[in-house]
Amino acid sequence: MNEWQHEPDAKLTAEIEGSSSKSPVNTTLQTDERVLARVTDGIYRQPGSAIRELVSNAYDADAKQVVIKTDRPRFRTLSVEDDGIGMTPAALAHLLHHIGGSAKRSPAGAELGIASSEDPSLSPSGRRLIGKIGIGLFSVSQLTQRFQIVTKTAGDPYRTIALVVLRQYSEEHAPAPDEQGEYDAGLVTIWRERAADADSHGTRIILTHIRPQTRDTLQSREIWATIDSDPALAPSEARNLIPPEFHIGRVKPEDADLLQNGVDTYNNLPWDRDDRPDVAFAKLVSAVWQQVDHGIPNPRLERICDYYLRMVWQLSLAVPLPYVSGNAFNLPLKDKLYLYELPPSAGTSPTKFQLTDTETIREAKSIGSAADVGNDFTVLVDDLLLTRPLVFTDLPQTNHAVKKPILFVGRCREEFGGVQPELTGGTLEFEAYLIWAPKIAPTEHQGVLVRVHGSSGTSFDPTFLRYQVSEQTRLRQISCEIFVSEGLEAALNIDRESFNYAHPHVVYITKWLHASLRRVATIQKSIAAEIRREIREAAEAVRAEAMSSVVTQAWQAETDDPGAEPPPVEFANAVDKPTAVEPGTFRFRRESVFGEREGRRSRQDESAERKLRSIIQLLAAYGVFESLTDQQQERLLAGIRQILEVPDQ
């Protein structure tokens, strides 16, 4: 056996050497522990991702409330505290020694008290678990290499404290494996302390020694540094150096303890200091939408808010929370939106439906249960109580023909019958809505957001899962959420911030979404065309009424008869059979007045004909036709028609 080979490898080597097509070797794939060790080096993209993972852990631990505290805008410390079930010493030991080997979704989860004894995919209270592979806690490596865990379960007179110092991983200086092939990812110091309240429970993660680069990100230092750069920049270069409208303030670069411009004036927030946390967050959402009313056609969150506020916004979208003004399925939407139900099959058109005064979509169509999560879960970040910042009614008015949003709802369940679950990933079930609105604010909400069991690591995908049809204007007016209640989890990449597009569940959702987008476009065009037709008809009716008034006044004045009515006017085609006409009717040959014309008449032709009818009635009131032959009358009218059809330059 070579010195670099472990005994199992040497045994497999010998078996391979002695194998043949008639006696093949069967084995299993195994993972080098070095892959899992790299987790502590940070696989998440942004500091906000780490906070999201900690909140998700709290949700899985049956927490009712999570409180996140920072010392903004300094960001020297950060803590995440929940009132969940906490961790026993056994559960903590398993967590620390099995990075990437979560006990969730396994029989060990019930034994450790972190999963349901009846279904390992559920929390002890029955929530669908978000976490899967046991790396969420170590996402904090994105923020710091040093943190503390304080945890306690109900009934335990002691709380457990662990001080964790993560090892910085690098390929050049990779830690050597121990005798079992495992890698040292860091050092942990653990102790127990007597608790004042034996019935208390929960976990608190305290982050200290925040990484300098992370602190710079949280402070939006790059934005402020750019704004504070050389004041002698040319106007073309300085045009984009505009501070975010809303920000938490900043510290002086030369002294991290001093706030820029004083304590009372350094920040600019859309809520007041005395506002309740829920009111404060609602004001933040309202302030973003108000950008449309303030003349900003496409408000972008990255230009409106600094990084901290954007991070809070993204967190509110990612975890299971109620909506700021209620979710679309549970609101009484009668007459507020156009409503359509999307069919599960591709060959069927959407069905329009209406609600009664107090009826909801969930009541009428039994759709929306997958979106109804997080009602028993709250997340408080400093002075903000988070809710999902998505609204569906009372949107800003625009000059678009379609004034009301169009809401499409649908659901689908696919069993992938006749195909082995190993190839399909098993059953897929989801519900969804797509909303078309003249404006989507912020523009980062344009696209599709996919949630699995109420949570999401992804942001809105503006490509709608790589939709290739060129409908750019209309796509910018569509926002969509897909709520997956079964399946898709295997398609999530390890950071939960992207999907494996080759997975059958992603392929199926992609096809469904793209088919739905085509239906949305068709319906929206149809509604817009109908509204434009109604507007034209209403305008024509007003013009017709005005012309009729002029003609009627002339007839009454010339005949000295208050009840006099203008005579009817008809244009007959040469091929038309003679028909009885009302006495006094003026009848003319169409081809003599309008000339020989092929094809369908345009709106301009119809408008000219209506005006000509009124002119004929007006001329008749003054007896103009009495001295003219039929041919002269038609030539006169043909000339008037030609004048009416002369285009404006």
Side-chain angles (χ1 to χ4, degrees):
M1 181 176 69
N2 295 321
E3 62 180 18
W4 50 266
Q5 280 189 314
H6 297 299
E7 185 175 345
D9 295 346
K11 181 180 178 182
L12 180 58
T13 301
E15 291 176 350
I16 294 173
E17 290 174 344
S19 65
S20 67
S21 60
K22 295 182 179 180
S23 58
V25 176
N26 295 311
T27 187
T28 59
L29 294 175
Q30 298 180 6
T31 303
D32 193 314
E33 295 292 339
R34 184 180 308 187
V35 175
L36 298 180
R38 293 205 61 177
V39 170
T40 60
D41 194 34
I43 64 169
Y44 296 92
R45 304 178 186 180
Q46 293 290 337
S49 302
I51 298 175
R52 180 197 72 217
E53 292 302 304
L54 296 181
V55 174
S56 297
N57 281 350
Y59 181 83
D60 285 351
D62 285 335
K64 300 294 183 183
Q65 183 180 71
V66 178
V67 178
I68 301 169
K69 293 182 179 179
T70 73
D71 61 338
R72 70 181 196 205
R74 299 178 178 89
F75 296 107
R76 293 170 302 189
T77 63
L78 187 151
S79 68
V80 179
E81 183 174 5
D82 68 66
D83 60 354
I85 58 176
M87 288 182 283
T88 64
L92 179 62
H94 188 280
L95 171 70
L96 297 174
H97 276 179
H98 295 84
I99 302 174
S102 174
K104 298 176 184 177
R105 306 171 189 262
S106 72
E111 296 177 8
L112 293 170
I114 61 175
S116 168
S117 58
E118 298 179 356
D119 185 346
S121 67
L122 303 179
S123 73
S125 71
R127 287 176 175 170
R128 294 301 300 260
L129 294 174
I130 298 174
K132 185 176 179 182
I133 60 176
I135 62 172
L137 176 62
F138 295 93
S139 64
V140 299
S141 61
Q142 180 75 40
L143 306 173
T144 181
Q145 296 298 114
R146 184 187 298 267
F147 63 95
Q148 188 178 69
I149 305 171
V150 181
T151 187
K152 183 184 176 302
T153 57
D156 187 347
Y158 291 88
R159 60 174 176 264
T160 305
I161 303 170
L163 178 61
V164 182
V165 180
L166 298 174
R167 186 187 298 276
Q168 186 74 43
Y169 185 88
S170 68
E171 292 290 352
E172 293 79 9
H173 305 287
D178 60 18
E179 295 179 356
Q180 286 75 39
E182 297 178 348
Y183 286 80
D184 176 6
L187 300 175
V188 186
T189 303
I190 308 171
W191 66 95
R192 299 260 284 167
E193 290 182 354
R194 181 170 288 277
D197 183 1
D199 293 328
S200 63
H201 52 87
T203 298
R204 186 182 185 193
I205 309 296
I206 305 168
L207 309 180
T208 58
H209 300 80
I210 303 297
R211 293 172 181 261
Q213 61 269 33
T214 300
R215 193 163 57 247
D216 288 348
T217 300
L218 293 169
Q219 292 175 346
S220 302
R221 187 172 293 276
E222 182 177 357
I223 296 175
W224 295 115
T226 304
I227 293 170
D228 293 338
S229 60
D230 188 356
L233 287 175
S236 59
E237 296 176 310
R239 189 160 41 214
N240 294 325
L241 305 183
I242 302 174
E245 180 164 353
F246 302 117
H247 58 83
I248 57 172
R250 50 179 172 156
V251 295
K252 291 187 175 181
E254 65 276 8
D255 191 336
D257 289 328
L258 294 179
L259 302 179
Q260 192 84 16
N261 298 330
V263 175
D264 295 327
T265 61
Y266 76 92
N267 64 14
N268 185 32
L269 300 170
W271 64 87
D272 299 323
R273 180 178 297 180
D274 297 331
D275 283 336
R276 296 196 319 266
D278 58 333
V279 173
F281 190 78
K283 283 187 175 181
L284 173 62
V285 176
S286 178
V288 171
W289 271 102
Q290 286 172 3
Q291 301 295 307
V292 177
D293 294 330
H294 295 166
I296 300 176
N298 299 300
R300 296 189 61 82
L301 204 63
E302 66 178 8
R303 294 193 176 184
I304 300 171
C305 300
D306 64 3
Y307 180 86
Y308 171 86
L309 294 175
R310 296 200 309 271
M311 178 186 72
V312 169
W313 191 285
Q314 290 299 327
L315 181 62
S316 69
L317 286 171
V319 298
L321 291 172
Y323 288 74
V324 64
S325 300
N327 80 53
F329 301 98
N330 292 344
L331 290 171
L333 298 174
K334 183 180 184 296
D335 298 331
K336 295 181 179 180
L337 295 87
Y338 299 97
L339 300 174
Y340 289 84
E341 183 176 5
L342 291 164
S345 59
T348 311
S349 298
T351 304
K352 187 176 182 178
F353 66 94
Q354 292 182 318
L355 303 174
T356 60
D357 290 344
T358 60
E359 192 177 25
T360 67
I361 294 174
R362 186 170 180 181
E363 293 169 343
K365 296 294 181 180
S366 299
I367 298 177
S369 59
D372 199 14
V373 296
N375 294 324
D376 60 345
F377 186 61
T378 60
V379 178
L380 188 67
V381 182
D382 293 325
D383 46 2
L384 295 170
L385 181 65
L386 307 192
T387 48
R388 288 183 181 169
L390 301 168
V391 294
F392 306 96
T393 60
D394 302 320
L395 304 182
Q397 291 294 316
T398 70
N399 58 3
H400 198 281
V402 184
K403 301 300 182 184
K404 294 193 302 185
I406 311 171
L407 183 67
F408 299 79
V409 298
R411 59 188 164 194
C412 195
R413 180 179 176 86
E414 178 57 43
E415 303 282 357
F416 298 99
V419 183
Q420 295 179 352
E422 292 82 2
L423 300 177
T424 66
T427 300
L428 173 65
E429 185 171 15
F430 60 89
E431 298 175 327
Y433 75 79
L434 295 90
I435 185 170
W436 175 94
K439 289 292 181 184
I440 301 293
T443 57
E444 286 87 348
H445 288 185
Q446 300 164 1
V448 58
L449 179 63
V450 182
R451 302 186 184 280
V452 181
H453 306 316
S455 70
S456 175
T458 65
S459 299
F460 279 92
D461 174 10
T463 72
F464 289 93
L465 302 181
R466 305 176 181 179
Y467 187 51
Q468 297 299 318
V469 177
S470 180
E471 288 273 4
Q472 294 305 314
T473 298
R474 191 165 284 103
L475 290 181
R476 286 194 291 269
Q477 298 170 325
I478 297 175
S479 184
C480 169
E481 285 187 278
I482 297 177
F483 307 90
V484 180
S485 56
E486 186 171 356
L488 194 67
E489 289 180 286
L492 282 168
N493 290 328
I494 191 171
D495 60 358
R496 298 197 303 116
E497 296 182 352
S498 57
F499 293 101
N500 171 10
Y501 280 88
H503 192 280
H505 288 186
V506 178
V507 171
Y508 187 93
I509 288 177
T510 299
K511 290 181 178 179
W512 181 90
L513 175 62
H514 292 178
S516 298
L517 287 170
R518 290 190 290 271
R519 292 171 175 140
V520 169
T522 299
I523 294 294
Q524 192 275 332
K525 291 175 184 177
S526 167
I527 293 175
E530 177 65 18
I531 290 175
R532 285 192 290 268
R533 184 187 66 79
E534 292 175 353
I535 292 173
R536 287 196 303 270
E537 290 180 352
E540 289 291 350
V542 171
R543 287 193 290 268
E545 179 65 24
M547 290 187 293
S548 176
S549 177
V550 172
V551 172
T552 299
Q553 290 177 14
W555 269 89
Q556 293 172 351
E558 293 303 312
T559 61
D560 197 23
D561 181 2
E565 291 290 338
V569 177
E570 286 190 3
F571 296 106
N573 295 317
V575 296
D576 291 344
K577 295 181 180 180
T579 59
V581 297
E582 182 180 342
T585 297
F586 282 84
R587 187 182 179 97
F588 304 96
R589 292 176 297 172
R590 180 177 293 277
E591 61 271 18
S592 298
V593 177
F594 293 96
E596 298 289 343
R597 301 197 178 189
E598 297 181 357
R600 184 178 178 181
R601 289 188 298 164
S602 67
R603 290 199 300 271
Q604 290 79 5
D605 293 337
E606 294 173 352
S607 176
E609 182 172 326
R610 284 191 292 270
K611 292 178 181 178
L612 190 58
R613 288 176 187 273
S614 295
I615 291 173
I616 291 171
Q617 293 171 327
L618 185 63
L619 294 176
Y622 291 94
V624 173
F625 293 118
E626 295 177 0
S627 61
L628 301 176
T629 66
D630 291 348
Q631 291 78 12
Q632 287 177 319
Q633 293 177 20
E634 290 176 343
R635 288 198 297 272
L636 171 63
L637 297 178
I640 295 174
R641 187 265 306 167
Q642 291 173 355
I643 292 175
L644 292 176
E645 292 180 349
V646 173
D648 295 330
Q649 298 298 325

